Amino acid sequence: QVQLAESGGGLVQAGTSLRLSCAVSGNIICMSDMGWYRQPPGKERELVASITTRGRTNYADSVKGRFTISTDNTKTTAYLQMNSLKPEDTADYYCTAAGGCTVEQFYRSWGQGTQVTVSS
């Protein structure tokens, strides 16, 4: 299992940028992918972006072209670069990681979340 800690949230104006970071600790040997989810006020948690350890990315339609997910070379930090932010991007953002050396050892870990508020 891995442990995750997000940082970088805050209050910003629409049209500006923000970068979230997610520090990973623990056993990353069999980690397979990382991602960012968000939960807007009063709504369900939704996938924002994901990246496999081989670098394959996936984005929600609502953020394509504006957000970029990446990791450092050691796969111990994941980033979410958010550009052209909109008020509807306001949410609690959660980092997640999944993996496991065997099916029985599969896990999905979550961070505590970081709040992003975009004012109009």
Side-chain angles (χ1 to χ4, degrees):
Q1 290 246 5
V2 297
Q3 294 76 48
L4 308 172
E6 305 98 334
S7 62
L11 171 63
V12 297
Q13 290 190 329
T16 61
S17 300
L18 202 60
R19 188 175 81 160
L20 304 182
S21 298
C22 175
V24 184
S25 59
N27 186 354
I28 66 169
I29 291 177
C30 294
M31 188 172 67
S32 60
D33 64 86
M34 298 185 69
W36 290 91
Y37 280 69
R38 68 185 181 187
Q39 187 165 16
K43 296 186 178 180
E44 301 273 323
R45 189 175 296 191
E46 61 185 12
L47 174 68
V48 176
S50 64
I51 184 168
T52 69
T53 51
R54 295 185 178 184
R56 183 171 183 175
T57 58
N58 181 49
Y59 295 93
D61 289 341
S62 59
V63 306
K64 282 181 181 176
R66 298 189 299 123
F67 290 12
T68 302
I69 187 171
S70 63
T71 63
D72 66 0
N73 290 336
T74 63
K75 306 292 188 294
T76 57
T77 306
Y79 303 98
L80 185 67
Q81 177 67 42
M82 305 185 293
N83 299 329
S84 302
L85 282 161
K86 304 175 181 180
E88 50 263 45
D89 294 319
T90 295
D92 290 325
Y93 283 72
Y94 297 89
C95 179
T96 183
C101 296
T102 66
V103 172
E104 293 75 20
Q105 295 176 341
F106 178 80
Y107 67 86
R108 178 165 293 281
S109 298
W110 294 89
Q112 293 296 309
T114 185
Q115 190 173 59
V116 173
T117 303
V118 184
S119 64
S120 57

